[in-house]
């Protein structure tokens, strides 16, 4: 889907809600602006500065601007953070510009343009809300999409309706995660399904796969929240369907995030069902992701997937009483902990240490 939102990379290894913006399709926001205007150029630069970024979804970070200035050295150089800080100011200012355009556009004369403006306001509000963990901005985004959907009817503008419906689902998903609200997650799931059914797979395979991956990810979140094996099994099916379109050749990052999420779902299913087979199957899935992603190119993503793999090893050792596997998971978590030395990610380092200590306790119990 064309938007500014990041996609969820499931991270059971360090137990965080991790977001990865890799899609490079945010320039769709510029389609309603005059290409010759200085605003078009400034906003285009701002969008580019937030592409290929990572962050944790957490409640009520101070502002988008402070988020932009707080990226750790593991991922970004200081000069790039400075550029992103300027981009954050542009996004804040763009809301007023778009709201002005909204007031100047007559619904009767140009309903398609007005609906697009409502949708773009929702995109910027939602982008800020997801990055800063602001439920207020996310709720404002939902209201803007609602205004767009009053004009973008399912019959008259099916693809546009699907886009606004899908983005509303992304907003609901973020609020559900931030507020630990399964009801909101269920609403998001319903919206994703509605949007997917209006996306012709043959014509917009990438968008269809993105919707299918989102369905799988939110089913995982619901399944792990309420400990439901059937929901996790449905998540496995959805993610495998997404992988039918997302392959290494046409989009390696999209494939990697979907493959990681499938591995995490297999791991969760194995833990819930005490199923050694599912746990064993998750580890080579993580291995495949780590072969495609390089530590130099995406160090924090690589570290998160490595932590996932270590946690799957721990779970398998606990289920099978496999001492060597438990010892290997200790070693992996300690490597991950050390990788955060000299970075701004002290929280992640603490989480890795906690997981290493947990694995050491398992080793001690298996040695008795």
């Amino acid at each position: 889907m064309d938007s500014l939102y990041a996609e969820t990379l499931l991270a059971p290894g360090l137990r965080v809600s991790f977001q990865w913006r890799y899609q490079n399709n945010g320039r769709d926001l510029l389609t309603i602006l005059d290409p010759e205007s200085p605003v078009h150029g400034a906003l285009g630069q701002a969008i580019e500065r937030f592409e290929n970024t990572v962050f944790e979804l957490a409640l009520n970070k101070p502002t988008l601007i402070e988020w932009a200035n707080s990226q750790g050295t593991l991922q970004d150089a200081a000069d790039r953070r400075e550029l992103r800080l300027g981009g954050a100011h542009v996004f804040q200012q763009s809301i007023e510009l778009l709201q002005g355009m909204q007031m100047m556009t007559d619904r009767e004369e140009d309903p398609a343009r007005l609906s697009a403006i409502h949708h773009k306001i929702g995109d910027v509000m939602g982008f800020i809300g997801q990055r800063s963990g602001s439920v207020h901005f996310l709720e404002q985004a939902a209201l803007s999409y609602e205004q767009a959907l009053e004009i973008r009817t399912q019959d008259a503008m099916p693809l546009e309706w699907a886009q606004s419906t899908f983005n509303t689902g992304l907003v609901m998903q973020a609020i559900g995660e931030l507020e630990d609200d399964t009801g909101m997650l269920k609403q998001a799931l319903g919206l994703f399904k509605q949007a997917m059914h209006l996306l012709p797979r043959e014509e917009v395979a990438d968008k269809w796969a993105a919707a299918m991956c989102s369905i799988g990810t939110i089913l995982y979140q619901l399944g792990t929240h309420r400990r439901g094996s059937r929901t996790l099994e449905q998540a496995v099916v959805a993610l495998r369907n997404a992988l039918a379109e997302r392959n290494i050749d046409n989009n390696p990052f999209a494939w990697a995030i979907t493959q990681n999420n499938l591995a995490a779902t297999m791991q969760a299913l194995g833990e819930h069902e005490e199923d050694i087979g599912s746990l064993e199957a998750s580890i080579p899935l993580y291995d495949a992701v780590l072969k495609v992603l390089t530590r130099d190119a995406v160090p924090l993503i690589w570290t998160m997937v490595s932590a996932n793999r270590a946690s799957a090893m721990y779970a398998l050792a606990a289920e099978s009483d496999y001492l060597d596997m438990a010892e290997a998971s200790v070693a992996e978590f300690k490597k991950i902990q050390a990788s955060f030395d000299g970075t701004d990610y002290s929280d992640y380092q603490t989480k890795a240490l906690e997981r290493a200590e947990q694995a050491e306790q398992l080793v001690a119990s298996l040695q008795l």
Side-chain angles (χ1 to χ4, degrees):
M1 292 291 195
D2 296 334
S3 71
L4 296 167
Y5 295 99
E7 195 167 327
T8 299
L9 179 98
L10 297 175
L14 296 187
R15 297 168 177 160
V16 296
S17 181
F18 200 70
Q19 310 294 312
W20 183 12
R21 172 69 190 166
Y22 66 88
Q23 298 95 322
N24 289 314
N25 59 4
R27 294 185 69 83
D28 181 68
L29 179 64
L30 304 175
T31 56
I32 57 173
L33 300 177
D34 179 358
E36 302 301 320
S37 72
V39 174
H40 187 283
L43 190 53
Q45 287 182 337
I47 291 168
E48 290 174 5
R49 288 164 186 166
F50 280 87
E51 298 287 14
N52 300 308
T53 54
V54 293
F55 61 97
E56 183 179 351
L57 184 65
L59 194 61
N60 292 331
K61 299 175 185 177
T63 63
L64 174 67
I65 291 169
E66 291 195 25
W67 177 88
N69 202 30
S70 67
Q71 291 294 276
T73 54
L74 186 67
Q75 188 73 18
D76 291 315
D79 58 345
R80 186 166 177 180
R81 293 202 299 276
E82 278 299 309
L83 290 172
R84 193 169 296 132
L85 183 59
H89 284 283
V90 173
F91 274 114
Q92 299 277 19
Q93 294 164 356
S94 71
I95 294 173
E96 294 182 13
L97 170 68
L98 291 167
Q99 288 174 335
M101 293 171 61
Q102 172 186 301
M103 295 179 65
M104 294 168 59
T105 304
D106 185 87
R107 177 169 177 169
E108 297 300 323
E109 292 181 4
D110 200 343
R113 178 174 173 77
L114 182 60
S115 75
I117 294 170
H118 286 314
H119 181 91
K120 303 307 182 191
I121 292 172
D123 279 354
V124 178
M125 290 284 197
F127 165 80
I128 294 172
Q130 189 188 47
R131 297 273 172 165
S132 61
S134 168
V135 173
H136 169 73
F137 271 100
L138 291 166
E139 289 174 342
Q140 291 300 308
L143 288 173
S144 292
Y145 292 134
E146 184 179 329
Q147 290 177 306
L149 287 166
E150 290 175 0
I151 303 171
R152 294 181 162 185
T153 64
Q154 190 170 335
D155 293 333
M157 305 170 71
L159 290 181
E160 291 81 1
W161 181 90
Q163 180 75 71
S164 294
T165 299
F166 180 81
N167 286 15
T168 307
L170 291 174
V171 167
M172 297 294 186
Q173 181 182 15
I175 295 173
E177 286 190 70
L178 290 168
E179 298 195 327
D180 195 25
D181 185 341
T182 55
M184 197 69 77
L185 292 176
K186 289 177 183 177
Q187 286 186 50
L189 176 62
L191 292 168
F192 288 154
K193 288 181 176 179
Q194 290 176 43
M196 188 200 65
H197 289 312
L198 247 56
L199 296 171
R201 181 173 179 177
E202 298 77 12
E203 297 173 25
V204 286
D206 289 348
K207 294 181 179 181
W208 182 91
M212 186 61 76
C213 185
S214 294
I215 288 170
T217 301
I218 207 163
L219 284 168
Y220 166 93
Q221 291 168 334
L222 287 168
T224 52
H225 195 283
R226 64 189 183 198
R227 306 292 292 170
S229 59
R230 178 168 173 76
T231 306
L232 290 171
E233 288 167 354
Q234 292 172 342
V236 168
V237 172
L239 290 164
R240 284 179 171 159
N241 285 339
L243 284 169
E245 297 294 344
R246 288 183 159 183
N247 59 63
I248 297 175
D249 295 329
N250 65 24
N251 195 332
F253 283 176
W255 173 87
I257 201 169
T258 311
Q259 177 89 349
N260 171 82
N261 290 3
L262 174 60
T265 306
M266 293 292 291
Q267 178 184 340
L269 189 59
E271 291 171 342
H272 179 266
E273 293 294 291
E274 300 180 351
D275 178 16
I276 291 174
S278 293
L279 291 169
E280 288 178 333
S282 70
I283 295 173
L285 294 176
Y286 287 130
D287 286 336
V289 177
L290 292 169
K291 288 178 181 176
V292 172
L293 302 179
T294 67
R295 189 171 187 172
D296 290 340
V298 284
L300 194 51
I301 297 293
W302 190 92
T303 303
M304 286 293 168
V305 178
S306 296
N308 288 351
R309 182 180 180 276
S311 71
M313 293 167 64
Y314 167 83
L316 178 58
E319 191 60 43
S320 60
D321 296 335
Y322 188 4
L323 178 58
D324 288 350
M325 183 71 75
E327 291 174 335
S329 70
V330 172
E332 289 300 311
F333 277 123
K334 286 185 174 179
K335 287 180 186 176
I336 291 161
Q337 178 197 352
S339 72
F340 290 114
D341 287 342
T343 75
D344 297 335
Y345 293 110
S346 57
D347 288 349
Y348 295 158
Q349 188 167 45
T350 300
K351 291 177 184 294
L353 175 59
E354 291 171 353
R355 294 308 306 266
E357 291 172 345
Q358 181 185 34
E360 286 177 331
Q361 291 172 3
L362 176 61
V363 169
S365 70
L366 293 177
Q367 288 174 332
L368 295 176

